[in-house]
Amino acid sequence: QVQLVESGGGLVQAGGSLRLSCVASGNIFSVIPMAWYRQAPGKQRELVATISPGASTNYADSVKGRFTISRDNPKNTVYLQMNSLKPEDTAVYYCAALRRAGNYWGQGTQVTVSS
C-alpha cells in the first residue's frame, strides 16, 4: 500500500508560479512511475504530466513549456513546478502512483489562478 500526500496548492494571480509536492509512503517509490492529474469543476480528471522511474517525462499539450515534473527518489517525492499560470489551470491537482492493478491517489490540492 502506498499513501500519497500533496501540498503546495493555493491562490495565485495569472502569470504566477506554484510548486506542488507529493510525498509517498512505502519503499517502492523509486521503481514506480508517477503522475500529476487535475480536475476542474464540471470536467473530467485529466492527465497533466508523468515521470518514469528513470525520470523520463511527458506532458499534456496544454501545459508544455510551462509545467515541469520532477522526482527525488531518496525523498520519495514528486514535484510539479507550474509557471506562467493561467485561469484555466484552476483545478484540484492529484498525485498518482501508476500501477497496472490500479493507481494510488493522493487527496488532492486546490490550485486557483485569478485573472
Side-chain angles (χ1 to χ4, degrees):
Q1 185 76 8
V2 174
Q3 291 185 328
L4 304 173
V5 179
E6 301 103 331
S7 61
L11 174 63
V12 64
Q13 288 188 333
S17 298
L18 283 173
R19 188 176 81 155
L20 307 183
S21 299
C22 171
V23 180
S25 66
N27 57 5
I28 65 169
F29 178 82
S30 64
V31 298
I32 198 166
M34 300 293 295
W36 287 96
Y37 285 76
R38 67 185 181 187
Q39 188 167 18
K43 295 187 177 182
Q44 290 189 332
R45 191 172 297 189
E46 64 173 349
L47 180 63
V48 174
T50 62
I51 186 165
S52 72
S56 296
T57 59
N58 281 288
Y59 297 92
D61 288 344
S62 59
V63 307
K64 279 181 182 176
R66 300 189 298 122
F67 290 10
T68 302
I69 189 171
S70 61
R71 64 192 298 159
D72 186 335
N73 287 340
K75 293 184 177 179
N76 277 16
T77 302
V78 62
Y79 303 99
L80 186 67
Q81 178 67 44
M82 305 185 295
N83 298 329
S84 302
L85 282 161
K86 304 176 182 180
E88 51 263 44
D89 295 318
T90 295
V92 178
Y93 284 71
Y94 297 91
C95 173
L98 305 181
R99 299 190 312 152
R100 290 181 181 178
N103 297 342
Y104 292 115
W105 294 95
Q107 82 287 353
T109 185
Q110 176 70 46
V111 172
T112 303
V113 184
S114 63
S115 57

